[in-house]
PDB file of all heavy atoms in Angstrom:
ATOM      1  N   PHE J 882       0.826  -1.211   0.003  1.00 97.00           N
ATOM      2  CA  PHE J 882       0.000   0.000   0.001  1.00 97.00           C
ATOM      3  C   PHE J 882       0.854   1.253   0.001  1.00 97.00           C
ATOM      4  O   PHE J 882       1.892   1.311   0.670  1.00 97.00           O
ATOM      5  CB  PHE J 882      -0.885   0.053   1.255  1.00 97.00           C
ATOM      6  CG  PHE J 882      -1.820  -1.106   1.412  1.00 97.00           C
ATOM      7  CD1 PHE J 882      -1.412  -2.257   2.088  1.00 97.00           C
ATOM      8  CD2 PHE J 882      -3.100  -1.065   0.889  1.00 97.00           C
ATOM      9  CE1 PHE J 882      -2.269  -3.330   2.239  1.00 97.00           C
ATOM     10  CE2 PHE J 882      -3.965  -2.127   1.044  1.00 97.00           C
ATOM     11  CZ  PHE J 882      -3.555  -3.267   1.711  1.00 97.00           C
ATOM     12  N   ASP J 883       0.398   2.258  -0.744  1.00 97.00           N
ATOM     13  CA  ASP J 883       0.899   3.615  -0.554  1.00 97.00           C
ATOM     14  C   ASP J 883       0.041   4.247   0.520  1.00 97.00           C
ATOM     15  O   ASP J 883      -1.197   4.108   0.516  1.00 97.00           O
ATOM     16  CB  ASP J 883       0.778   4.417  -1.849  1.00 97.00           C
ATOM     17  CG  ASP J 883       1.934   4.151  -2.807  1.00 97.00           C
ATOM     18  OD1 ASP J 883       2.943   3.563  -2.360  1.00 97.00           O
ATOM     19  OD2 ASP J 883       1.808   4.496  -3.992  1.00 97.00           O
ATOM     20  N   VAL J 884       0.685   4.942   1.436  1.00 96.00           N
ATOM     21  CA  VAL J 884      -0.015   5.515   2.577  1.00 96.00           C
ATOM     22  C   VAL J 884       0.053   7.039   2.512  1.00 96.00           C
ATOM     23  O   VAL J 884       1.134   7.607   2.352  1.00 96.00           O
ATOM     24  CB  VAL J 884       0.598   5.026   3.907  1.00 96.00           C
ATOM     25  CG1 VAL J 884      -0.163   5.619   5.091  1.00 96.00           C
ATOM     26  CG2 VAL J 884       0.569   3.500   3.963  1.00 96.00           C
ATOM     27  N   LYS J 885      -1.085   7.661   2.614  1.00 92.00           N
ATOM     28  CA  LYS J 885      -1.131   9.122   2.602  1.00 92.00           C
ATOM     29  C   LYS J 885      -0.364   9.659   3.805  1.00 92.00           C
ATOM     30  O   LYS J 885      -0.599   9.254   4.943  1.00 92.00           O
ATOM     31  CB  LYS J 885      -2.588   9.597   2.645  1.00 92.00           C
ATOM     32  CG  LYS J 885      -2.745  11.099   2.563  1.00 92.00           C
ATOM     33  CD  LYS J 885      -4.219  11.487   2.595  1.00 92.00           C
ATOM     34  CE  LYS J 885      -4.391  12.998   2.512  1.00 92.00           C
ATOM     35  NZ  LYS J 885      -5.830  13.383   2.561  1.00 92.00           N
ATOM     36  N   ASP J 886       0.580  10.526   3.541  1.00 89.00           N
ATOM     37  CA  ASP J 886       1.378  11.156   4.599  1.00 89.00           C
ATOM     38  C   ASP J 886       2.140  10.129   5.431  1.00 89.00           C
ATOM     39  O   ASP J 886       2.315  10.287   6.647  1.00 89.00           O
ATOM     40  CB  ASP J 886       0.504  12.012   5.522  1.00 89.00           C
ATOM     41  CG  ASP J 886      -0.229  13.109   4.777  1.00 89.00           C
ATOM     42  OD1 ASP J 886       0.343  13.644   3.818  1.00 89.00           O
ATOM     43  OD2 ASP J 886      -1.379  13.412   5.150  1.00 89.00           O
ATOM     44  N   GLY J 887       2.602   9.037   4.790  1.00 91.00           N
ATOM     45  CA  GLY J 887       3.358   8.027   5.518  1.00 91.00           C
ATOM     46  C   GLY J 887       4.160   7.152   4.579  1.00 91.00           C
ATOM     47  O   GLY J 887       4.095   7.283   3.351  1.00 91.00           O
ATOM     48  N   ASP J 888       4.917   6.242   5.158  1.00 93.00           N
ATOM     49  CA  ASP J 888       5.723   5.317   4.367  1.00 93.00           C
ATOM     50  C   ASP J 888       4.863   4.173   3.847  1.00 93.00           C
ATOM     51  O   ASP J 888       3.831   3.843   4.454  1.00 93.00           O
ATOM     52  CB  ASP J 888       6.857   4.746   5.224  1.00 93.00           C
ATOM     53  CG  ASP J 888       7.844   5.816   5.680  1.00 93.00           C
ATOM     54  OD1 ASP J 888       8.058   6.780   4.900  1.00 93.00           O
ATOM     55  OD2 ASP J 888       8.376   5.691   6.805  1.00 93.00           O
ATOM     56  N   PRO J 889       5.261   3.544   2.747  1.00 95.00           N
ATOM     57  CA  PRO J 889       4.521   2.388   2.226  1.00 95.00           C
ATOM     58  C   PRO J 889       4.396   1.290   3.283  1.00 95.00           C
ATOM     59  O   PRO J 889       5.270   1.138   4.150  1.00 95.00           O
ATOM     60  CB  PRO J 889       5.356   1.937   1.037  1.00 95.00           C
ATOM     61  CG  PRO J 889       6.102   3.162   0.606  1.00 95.00           C
ATOM     62  CD  PRO J 889       6.392   3.909   1.879  1.00 95.00           C
ATOM     63  N   VAL J 890       3.312   0.524   3.203  1.00 95.00           N
ATOM     64  CA  VAL J 890       3.015  -0.536   4.178  1.00 95.00           C
ATOM     65  C   VAL J 890       2.763  -1.849   3.448  1.00 95.00           C
ATOM     66  O   VAL J 890       2.212  -1.856   2.347  1.00 95.00           O
ATOM     67  CB  VAL J 890       1.773  -0.154   5.015  1.00 95.00           C
ATOM     68  CG1 VAL J 890       1.240  -1.349   5.798  1.00 95.00           C
ATOM     69  CG2 VAL J 890       2.111   0.984   5.973  1.00 95.00           C
ATOM     70  N   THR J 891       3.161  -2.943   4.055  1.00 96.00           N
ATOM     71  CA  THR J 891       2.904  -4.278   3.510  1.00 96.00           C
ATOM     72  C   THR J 891       2.146  -5.084   4.556  1.00 96.00           C
ATOM     73  O   THR J 891       2.496  -5.070   5.742  1.00 96.00           O
ATOM     74  CB  THR J 891       4.219  -4.996   3.150  1.00 96.00           C
ATOM     75  OG1 THR J 891       4.913  -4.220   2.187  1.00 96.00           O
ATOM     76  CG2 THR J 891       3.940  -6.369   2.561  1.00 96.00           C
ATOM     77  N   LEU J 892       1.098  -5.775   4.121  1.00 97.00           N
ATOM     78  CA  LEU J 892       0.323  -6.641   5.010  1.00 97.00           C
ATOM     79  C   LEU J 892       0.224  -8.042   4.389  1.00 97.00           C
ATOM     80  O   LEU J 892       0.100  -8.166   3.169  1.00 97.00           O
ATOM     81  CB  LEU J 892      -1.102  -6.091   5.202  1.00 97.00           C
ATOM     82  CG  LEU J 892      -1.246  -4.703   5.832  1.00 97.00           C
ATOM     83  CD1 LEU J 892      -2.724  -4.298   5.837  1.00 97.00           C
ATOM     84  CD2 LEU J 892      -0.689  -4.688   7.244  1.00 97.00           C
ATOM     85  N   ASP J 893       0.264  -9.061   5.226  1.00 96.00           N
ATOM     86  CA  ASP J 893       0.070 -10.446   4.791  1.00 96.00           C
ATOM     87  C   ASP J 893      -1.285 -10.945   5.263  1.00 96.00           C
ATOM     88  O   ASP J 893      -1.772 -10.535   6.333  1.00 96.00           O
ATOM     89  CB  ASP J 893       1.155 -11.361   5.359  1.00 96.00           C
ATOM     90  CG  ASP J 893       2.490 -11.206   4.623  1.00 96.00           C
ATOM     91  OD1 ASP J 893       2.517 -10.470   3.613  1.00 96.00           O
ATOM     92  OD2 ASP J 893       3.481 -11.815   5.064  1.00 96.00           O
ATOM     93  N   ALA J 894      -1.895 -11.817   4.482  1.00 97.00           N
ATOM     94  CA  ALA J 894      -3.206 -12.369   4.865  1.00 97.00           C
ATOM     95  C   ALA J 894      -3.390 -13.749   4.256  1.00 97.00           C
ATOM     96  O   ALA J 894      -2.863 -14.056   3.182  1.00 97.00           O
ATOM     97  CB  ALA J 894      -4.319 -11.450   4.388  1.00 97.00           C
ATOM     98  N   GLY J 895      -4.155 -14.578   4.961  1.00 97.00           N
ATOM     99  CA  GLY J 895      -4.461 -15.912   4.440  1.00 97.00           C
ATOM    100  C   GLY J 895      -5.342 -15.852   3.218  1.00 97.00           C
ATOM    101  O   GLY J 895      -5.152 -16.601   2.254  1.00 97.00           O
ATOM    102  N   THR J 896      -6.319 -14.956   3.233  1.00 98.00           N
ATOM    103  CA  THR J 896      -7.209 -14.737   2.096  1.00 98.00           C
ATOM    104  C   THR J 896      -7.445 -13.244   1.935  1.00 98.00           C
ATOM    105  O   THR J 896      -7.282 -12.464   2.880  1.00 98.00           O
ATOM    106  CB  THR J 896      -8.567 -15.447   2.281  1.00 98.00           C
ATOM    107  OG1 THR J 896      -9.145 -15.023   3.528  1.00 98.00           O
ATOM    108  CG2 THR J 896      -8.428 -16.964   2.273  1.00 98.00           C
ATOM    109  N   VAL J 897      -7.858 -12.857   0.736  1.00 98.00           N
ATOM    110  CA  VAL J 897      -8.092 -11.438   0.443  1.00 98.00           C
ATOM    111  C   VAL J 897      -9.465 -11.281  -0.195  1.00 98.00           C
ATOM    112  O   VAL J 897      -9.863 -12.075  -1.056  1.00 98.00           O
ATOM    113  CB  VAL J 897      -7.019 -10.883  -0.509  1.00 98.00           C
ATOM    114  CG1 VAL J 897      -7.340  -9.441  -0.914  1.00 98.00           C
ATOM    115  CG2 VAL J 897      -5.633 -10.952   0.134  1.00 98.00           C
ATOM    116  N   VAL J 898     -10.197 -10.261   0.248  1.00 98.00           N
ATOM    117  CA  VAL J 898     -11.489  -9.911  -0.333  1.00 98.00           C
ATOM    118  C   VAL J 898     -11.367  -8.553  -1.016  1.00 98.00           C
ATOM    119  O   VAL J 898     -11.078  -7.555  -0.341  1.00 98.00           O
ATOM    120  CB  VAL J 898     -12.616  -9.866   0.722  1.00 98.00           C
ATOM    121  CG1 VAL J 898     -13.936  -9.479   0.063  1.00 98.00           C
ATOM    122  CG2 VAL J 898     -12.741 -11.199   1.443  1.00 98.00           C
ATOM    123  N   LEU J 899     -11.581  -8.522  -2.321  1.00 98.00           N
ATOM    124  CA  LEU J 899     -11.547  -7.259  -3.060  1.00 98.00           C
ATOM    125  C   LEU J 899     -12.956  -6.678  -3.113  1.00 98.00           C
ATOM    126  O   LEU J 899     -13.872  -7.301  -3.637  1.00 98.00           O
ATOM    127  CB  LEU J 899     -11.020  -7.488  -4.476  1.00 98.00           C
ATOM    128  CG  LEU J 899      -9.620  -8.099  -4.580  1.00 98.00           C
ATOM    129  CD1 LEU J 899      -9.219  -8.253  -6.041  1.00 98.00           C
ATOM    130  CD2 LEU J 899      -8.582  -7.261  -3.829  1.00 98.00           C
ATOM    131  N   ALA J 900     -13.108  -5.480  -2.576  1.00 98.00           N
ATOM    132  CA  ALA J 900     -14.421  -4.820  -2.525  1.00 98.00           C
ATOM    133  C   ALA J 900     -14.235  -3.331  -2.790  1.00 98.00           C
ATOM    134  O   ALA J 900     -14.834  -2.485  -2.128  1.00 98.00           O
ATOM    135  CB  ALA J 900     -15.073  -5.061  -1.167  1.00 98.00           C
ATOM    136  N   ALA J 901     -13.399  -3.033  -3.782  1.00 98.00           N
ATOM    137  CA  ALA J 901     -12.978  -1.654  -4.025  1.00 98.00           C
ATOM    138  C   ALA J 901     -13.823  -0.920  -5.055  1.00 98.00           C
ATOM    139  O   ALA J 901     -13.481   0.198  -5.446  1.00 98.00           O
ATOM    140  CB  ALA J 901     -11.507  -1.642  -4.463  1.00 98.00           C
ATOM    141  N   GLY J 902     -14.929  -1.505  -5.500  1.00 96.00           N
ATOM    142  CA  GLY J 902     -15.834  -0.800  -6.397  1.00 96.00           C
ATOM    143  C   GLY J 902     -15.374  -0.766  -7.836  1.00 96.00           C
ATOM    144  O   GLY J 902     -14.449  -1.481  -8.236  1.00 96.00           O
ATOM    145  N   GLY J 903     -16.039   0.076  -8.630  1.00 97.00           N
ATOM    146  CA  GLY J 903     -15.792   0.138 -10.061  1.00 97.00           C
ATOM    147  C   GLY J 903     -14.932   1.328 -10.463  1.00 97.00           C
ATOM    148  O   GLY J 903     -14.148   1.845  -9.665  1.00 97.00           O
ATOM    149  N   ARG J 904     -15.123   1.786 -11.713  1.00 97.00           N
ATOM    150  CA  ARG J 904     -14.238   2.803 -12.275  1.00 97.00           C
ATOM    151  C   ARG J 904     -14.992   3.967 -12.929  1.00 97.00           C
ATOM    152  O   ARG J 904     -14.427   4.713 -13.720  1.00 97.00           O
ATOM    153  CB  ARG J 904     -13.315   2.160 -13.308  1.00 97.00           C
ATOM    154  CG  ARG J 904     -14.013   1.723 -14.597  1.00 97.00           C
ATOM    155  CD  ARG J 904     -13.046   1.008 -15.539  1.00 97.00           C
ATOM    156  NE  ARG J 904     -13.535   0.895 -16.896  1.00 97.00           N
ATOM    157  CZ  ARG J 904     -14.380  -0.026 -17.337  1.00 97.00           C
ATOM    158  NH1 ARG J 904     -14.870  -0.930 -16.486  1.00 97.00           N
ATOM    159  NH2 ARG J 904     -14.736  -0.059 -18.592  1.00 97.00           N
ATOM    160  N   CYS J 905     -16.263   4.138 -12.622  1.00 96.00           N
ATOM    161  CA  CYS J 905     -17.066   5.089 -13.387  1.00 96.00           C
ATOM    162  C   CYS J 905     -16.676   6.547 -13.184  1.00 96.00           C
ATOM    163  O   CYS J 905     -16.900   7.369 -14.091  1.00 96.00           O
ATOM    164  CB  CYS J 905     -18.550   4.887 -13.094  1.00 96.00           C
ATOM    165  SG  CYS J 905     -19.243   3.482 -14.012  1.00 96.00           S
ATOM    166  N   TYR J 906     -16.106   6.911 -12.056  1.00 95.00           N
ATOM    167  CA  TYR J 906     -15.659   8.295 -11.898  1.00 95.00           C
ATOM    168  C   TYR J 906     -14.520   8.575 -12.871  1.00 95.00           C
ATOM    169  O   TYR J 906     -14.529   9.593 -13.583  1.00 95.00           O
ATOM    170  CB  TYR J 906     -15.209   8.571 -10.465  1.00 95.00           C
ATOM    171  CG  TYR J 906     -14.834  10.019 -10.243  1.00 95.00           C
ATOM    172  CD1 TYR J 906     -15.799  10.950  -9.896  1.00 95.00           C
ATOM    173  CD2 TYR J 906     -13.512  10.447 -10.385  1.00 95.00           C
ATOM    174  CE1 TYR J 906     -15.464  12.292  -9.708  1.00 95.00           C
ATOM    175  CE2 TYR J 906     -13.170  11.780 -10.205  1.00 95.00           C
ATOM    176  CZ  TYR J 906     -14.146  12.700  -9.874  1.00 95.00           C
ATOM    177  OH  TYR J 906     -13.817  14.023  -9.695  1.00 95.00           O
ATOM    178  N   ALA J 907     -13.546   7.655 -12.920  1.00 96.00           N
ATOM    179  CA  ALA J 907     -12.416   7.848 -13.825  1.00 96.00           C
ATOM    180  C   ALA J 907     -12.862   7.800 -15.277  1.00 96.00           C
ATOM    181  O   ALA J 907     -12.376   8.568 -16.118  1.00 96.00           O
ATOM    182  CB  ALA J 907     -11.350   6.784 -13.560  1.00 96.00           C
ATOM    183  N   GLU J 908     -13.785   6.895 -15.577  1.00 96.00           N
ATOM    184  CA  GLU J 908     -14.260   6.772 -16.955  1.00 96.00           C
ATOM    185  C   GLU J 908     -15.026   8.026 -17.385  1.00 96.00           C
ATOM    186  O   GLU J 908     -14.911   8.481 -18.526  1.00 96.00           O
ATOM    187  CB  GLU J 908     -15.159   5.538 -17.086  1.00 96.00           C
ATOM    188  CG  GLU J 908     -15.570   5.208 -18.506  1.00 96.00           C
ATOM    189  CD  GLU J 908     -14.417   4.791 -19.416  1.00 96.00           C
ATOM    190  OE1 GLU J 908     -13.377   4.338 -18.883  1.00 96.00           O
ATOM    191  OE2 GLU J 908     -14.557   4.933 -20.646  1.00 96.00           O
ATOM    192  N   ALA J 909     -15.813   8.590 -16.483  1.00 95.00           N
ATOM    193  CA  ALA J 909     -16.551   9.813 -16.806  1.00 95.00           C
ATOM    194  C   ALA J 909     -15.592  10.960 -17.087  1.00 95.00           C
ATOM    195  O   ALA J 909     -15.809  11.765 -18.010  1.00 95.00           O
ATOM    196  CB  ALA J 909     -17.495  10.176 -15.668  1.00 95.00           C
ATOM    197  N   GLU J 910     -14.531  11.057 -16.302  1.00 96.00           N
ATOM    198  CA  GLU J 910     -13.535  12.100 -16.556  1.00 96.00           C
ATOM    199  C   GLU J 910     -12.890  11.908 -17.930  1.00 96.00           C
ATOM    200  O   GLU J 910     -12.668  12.869 -18.668  1.00 96.00           O
ATOM    201  CB  GLU J 910     -12.467  12.089 -15.462  1.00 96.00           C
ATOM    202  CG  GLU J 910     -12.918  12.694 -14.145  1.00 96.00           C
ATOM    203  CD  GLU J 910     -11.738  13.188 -13.323  1.00 96.00           C
ATOM    204  OE1 GLU J 910     -10.697  12.492 -13.314  1.00 96.00           O
ATOM    205  OE2 GLU J 910     -11.851  14.252 -12.699  1.00 96.00           O
ATOM    206  N   ARG J 911     -12.590  10.655 -18.277  1.00 96.00           N
ATOM    207  CA  ARG J 911     -11.974  10.375 -19.574  1.00 96.00           C
ATOM    208  C   ARG J 911     -12.903  10.761 -20.714  1.00 96.00           C
ATOM    209  O   ARG J 911     -12.454  11.240 -21.753  1.00 96.00           O
ATOM    210  CB  ARG J 911     -11.617   8.888 -19.653  1.00 96.00           C
ATOM    211  CG  ARG J 911     -10.793   8.511 -20.880  1.00 96.00           C
ATOM    212  CD  ARG J 911     -10.535   7.018 -20.944  1.00 96.00           C
ATOM    213  NE  ARG J 911     -11.744   6.267 -21.278  1.00 96.00           N
ATOM    214  CZ  ARG J 911     -12.220   6.137 -22.523  1.00 96.00           C
ATOM    215  NH1 ARG J 911     -11.612   6.720 -23.537  1.00 96.00           N
ATOM    216  NH2 ARG J 911     -13.321   5.433 -22.746  1.00 96.00           N
ATOM    217  N   ARG J 912     -14.220  10.550 -20.508  1.00 95.00           N
ATOM    218  CA  ARG J 912     -15.210  10.851 -21.545  1.00 95.00           C
ATOM    219  C   ARG J 912     -15.697  12.291 -21.497  1.00 95.00           C
ATOM    220  O   ARG J 912     -16.517  12.698 -22.304  1.00 95.00           O
ATOM    221  CB  ARG J 912     -16.423   9.928 -21.393  1.00 95.00           C
ATOM    222  CG  ARG J 912     -16.142   8.443 -21.549  1.00 95.00           C
ATOM    223  CD  ARG J 912     -17.441   7.654 -21.437  1.00 95.00           C
ATOM    224  NE  ARG J 912     -17.220   6.209 -21.471  1.00 95.00           N
ATOM    225  CZ  ARG J 912     -18.203   5.313 -21.528  1.00 95.00           C
ATOM    226  NH1 ARG J 912     -19.476   5.719 -21.540  1.00 95.00           N
ATOM    227  NH2 ARG J 912     -17.937   4.020 -21.553  1.00 95.00           N
ATOM    228  N   HIS J 913     -15.251  13.053 -20.500  1.00 93.00           N
ATOM    229  CA  HIS J 913     -15.726  14.422 -20.285  1.00 93.00           C
ATOM    230  C   HIS J 913     -17.240  14.434 -20.037  1.00 93.00           C
ATOM    231  O   HIS J 913     -17.979  15.261 -20.570  1.00 93.00           O
ATOM    232  CB  HIS J 913     -15.375  15.327 -21.462  1.00 93.00           C
ATOM    233  CG  HIS J 913     -13.905  15.338 -21.788  1.00 93.00           C
ATOM    234  ND1 HIS J 913     -12.962  15.894 -20.950  1.00 93.00           N
ATOM    235  CD2 HIS J 913     -13.215  14.820 -22.845  1.00 93.00           C
ATOM    236  CE1 HIS J 913     -11.765  15.747 -21.478  1.00 93.00           C
ATOM    237  NE2 HIS J 913     -11.893  15.092 -22.617  1.00 93.00           N
ATOM    238  N   GLU J 914     -17.688  13.480 -19.207  1.00 92.00           N
ATOM    239  CA  GLU J 914     -19.096  13.368 -18.845  1.00 92.00           C
ATOM    240  C   GLU J 914     -19.256  13.532 -17.340  1.00 92.00           C
ATOM    241  O   GLU J 914     -18.265  13.570 -16.586  1.00 92.00           O
ATOM    242  CB  GLU J 914     -19.662  12.002 -19.282  1.00 92.00           C
ATOM    243  CG  GLU J 914     -19.676  11.797 -20.779  1.00 92.00           C
ATOM    244  CD  GLU J 914     -20.243  10.433 -21.173  1.00 92.00           C
ATOM    245  OE1 GLU J 914     -20.641   9.669 -20.264  1.00 92.00           O
ATOM    246  OE2 GLU J 914     -20.282  10.155 -22.362  1.00 92.00           O
ATOM    247  N   LEU J 915     -20.510  13.576 -16.904  1.00 91.00           N
ATOM    248  CA  LEU J 915     -20.809  13.619 -15.471  1.00 91.00           C
ATOM    249  C   LEU J 915     -20.950  12.204 -14.934  1.00 91.00           C
ATOM    250  O   LEU J 915     -21.277  11.273 -15.665  1.00 91.00           O
ATOM    251  CB  LEU J 915     -22.112  14.383 -15.224  1.00 91.00           C
ATOM    252  CG  LEU J 915     -22.124  15.859 -15.625  1.00 91.00           C
ATOM    253  CD1 LEU J 915     -23.538  16.423 -15.474  1.00 91.00           C
ATOM    254  CD2 LEU J 915     -21.146  16.664 -14.784  1.00 91.00           C
ATOM    255  N   SER J 916     -20.716  12.044 -13.649  1.00 93.00           N
ATOM    256  CA  SER J 916     -20.886  10.749 -12.990  1.00 93.00           C
ATOM    257  C   SER J 916     -21.473  10.943 -11.609  1.00 93.00           C
ATOM    258  O   SER J 916     -21.226  11.968 -10.949  1.00 93.00           O
ATOM    259  CB  SER J 916     -19.542  10.013 -12.879  1.00 93.00           C
ATOM    260  OG  SER J 916     -19.665   8.850 -12.082  1.00 93.00           O
ATOM    261  N   THR J 917     -22.229   9.949 -11.164  1.00 92.00           N
ATOM    262  CA  THR J 917     -22.759   9.960  -9.802  1.00 92.00           C
ATOM    263  C   THR J 917     -21.727   9.498  -8.790  1.00 92.00           C
ATOM    264  O   THR J 917     -21.951   9.586  -7.583  1.00 92.00           O
ATOM    265  CB  THR J 917     -23.966   8.999  -9.697  1.00 92.00           C
ATOM    266  OG1 THR J 917     -23.516   7.671  -9.985  1.00 92.00           O
ATOM    267  CG2 THR J 917     -25.069   9.394 -10.672  1.00 92.00           C
ATOM    268  N   ASN J 918     -20.590   8.987  -9.268  1.00 93.00           N
ATOM    269  CA  ASN J 918     -19.670   8.243  -8.406  1.00 93.00           C
ATOM    270  C   ASN J 918     -18.798   9.115  -7.512  1.00 93.00           C
ATOM    271  O   ASN J 918     -18.518  10.292  -7.819  1.00 93.00           O
ATOM    272  CB  ASN J 918     -18.748   7.370  -9.254  1.00 93.00           C
ATOM    273  CG  ASN J 918     -19.381   6.060  -9.676  1.00 93.00           C
ATOM    274  OD1 ASN J 918     -18.683   5.088  -9.941  1.00 93.00           O
ATOM    275  ND2 ASN J 918     -20.694   6.011  -9.770  1.00 93.00           N
ATOM    276  N   HIS J 919     -18.321   8.495  -6.443  1.00 91.00           N
ATOM    277  CA  HIS J 919     -17.330   9.109  -5.572  1.00 91.00           C
ATOM    278  C   HIS J 919     -15.995   9.166  -6.334  1.00 91.00           C
ATOM    279  O   HIS J 919     -15.689   8.271  -7.122  1.00 91.00           O
ATOM    280  CB  HIS J 919     -17.185   8.261  -4.301  1.00 91.00           C
ATOM    281  CG  HIS J 919     -16.373   8.919  -3.242  1.00 91.00           C
ATOM    282  ND1 HIS J 919     -14.989   8.934  -3.265  1.00 91.00           N
ATOM    283  CD2 HIS J 919     -16.738   9.613  -2.117  1.00 91.00           C
ATOM    284  CE1 HIS J 919     -14.551   9.593  -2.208  1.00 91.00           C
ATOM    285  NE2 HIS J 919     -15.578  10.006  -1.498  1.00 91.00           N
ATOM    286  N   PRO J 920     -15.184  10.200  -6.107  1.00 93.00           N
ATOM    287  CA  PRO J 920     -13.898  10.303  -6.807  1.00 93.00           C
ATOM    288  C   PRO J 920     -12.953   9.124  -6.604  1.00 93.00           C
ATOM    289  O   PRO J 920     -12.003   8.950  -7.368  1.00 93.00           O
ATOM    290  CB  PRO J 920     -13.291  11.593  -6.218  1.00 93.00           C
ATOM    291  CG  PRO J 920     -14.468  12.421  -5.829  1.00 93.00           C
ATOM    292  CD  PRO J 920     -15.487  11.430  -5.340  1.00 93.00           C
ATOM    293  N   ASN J 921     -13.209   8.287  -5.595  1.00 92.00           N
ATOM    294  CA  ASN J 921     -12.357   7.112  -5.386  1.00 92.00           C
ATOM    295  C   ASN J 921     -12.644   5.982  -6.375  1.00 92.00           C
ATOM    296  O   ASN J 921     -11.895   4.999  -6.415  1.00 92.00           O
ATOM    297  CB  ASN J 921     -12.543   6.570  -3.962  1.00 92.00           C
ATOM    298  CG  ASN J 921     -11.800   7.384  -2.920  1.00 92.00           C
ATOM    299  OD1 ASN J 921     -11.018   8.264  -3.256  1.00 92.00           O
ATOM    300  ND2 ASN J 921     -12.060   7.106  -1.651  1.00 92.00           N
ATOM    301  N   ALA J 922     -13.701   6.106  -7.177  1.00 94.00           N
ATOM    302  CA  ALA J 922     -14.080   5.017  -8.079  1.00 94.00           C
ATOM    303  C   ALA J 922     -13.255   5.083  -9.354  1.00 94.00           C
ATOM    304  O   ALA J 922     -13.698   5.578 -10.396  1.00 94.00           O
ATOM    305  CB  ALA J 922     -15.572   5.084  -8.400  1.00 94.00           C
ATOM    306  N   THR J 923     -12.042   4.561  -9.272  1.00 96.00           N
ATOM    307  CA  THR J 923     -11.091   4.701 -10.375  1.00 96.00           C
ATOM    308  C   THR J 923     -10.588   3.373 -10.932  1.00 96.00           C
ATOM    309  O   THR J 923      -9.869   3.357 -11.926  1.00 96.00           O
ATOM    310  CB  THR J 923      -9.898   5.561  -9.936  1.00 96.00           C
ATOM    311  OG1 THR J 923      -9.408   5.091  -8.670  1.00 96.00           O
ATOM    312  CG2 THR J 923     -10.318   7.015  -9.772  1.00 96.00           C
ATOM    313  N   GLY J 924     -10.920   2.243 -10.319  1.00 96.00           N
ATOM    314  CA  GLY J 924     -10.729   0.937 -10.941  1.00 96.00           C
ATOM    315  C   GLY J 924      -9.363   0.308 -10.881  1.00 96.00           C
ATOM    316  O   GLY J 924      -9.146  -0.748 -11.487  1.00 96.00           O
ATOM    317  N   GLU J 925      -8.414   0.873 -10.149  1.00 97.00           N
ATOM    318  CA  GLU J 925      -7.064   0.303 -10.180  1.00 97.00           C
ATOM    319  C   GLU J 925      -6.980  -1.074  -9.514  1.00 97.00           C
ATOM    320  O   GLU J 925      -6.129  -1.892  -9.881  1.00 97.00           O
ATOM    321  CB  GLU J 925      -6.047   1.252  -9.540  1.00 97.00           C
ATOM    322  CG  GLU J 925      -6.261   1.559  -8.075  1.00 97.00           C
ATOM    323  CD  GLU J 925      -7.215   2.714  -7.835  1.00 97.00           C
ATOM    324  OE1 GLU J 925      -7.839   3.195  -8.798  1.00 97.00           O
ATOM    325  OE2 GLU J 925      -7.349   3.132  -6.675  1.00 97.00           O
TER     326      GLU J 925
END
């Protein structure tokens, strides 16, 4: 992880759940359109 105002962090886990949402905010910016999405919806 990159950490805001801090050094990078590494975590280990037995299993991982990805629940980070979609990319519609970033896609709307690319298309010069409006979006309902939070600015964090960027799809990385």
Side-chain angles (χ1 to χ4, degrees):
F882 301 89
D883 278 346
V884 181
K885 183 179 180 181
D886 301 325
D888 296 327
V890 167
T891 301
L892 299 176
D893 284 354
T896 55
V897 175
V898 179
L899 302 181
R904 70 184 196 279
C905 281
Y906 184 87
E908 187 66 23
E910 284 204 320
R911 188 183 72 80
R912 298 183 185 187
H913 305 292
E914 295 180 1
L915 297 173
S916 172
T917 62
N918 278 206
H919 190 280
N921 282 351
T923 48
E925 63 274 8

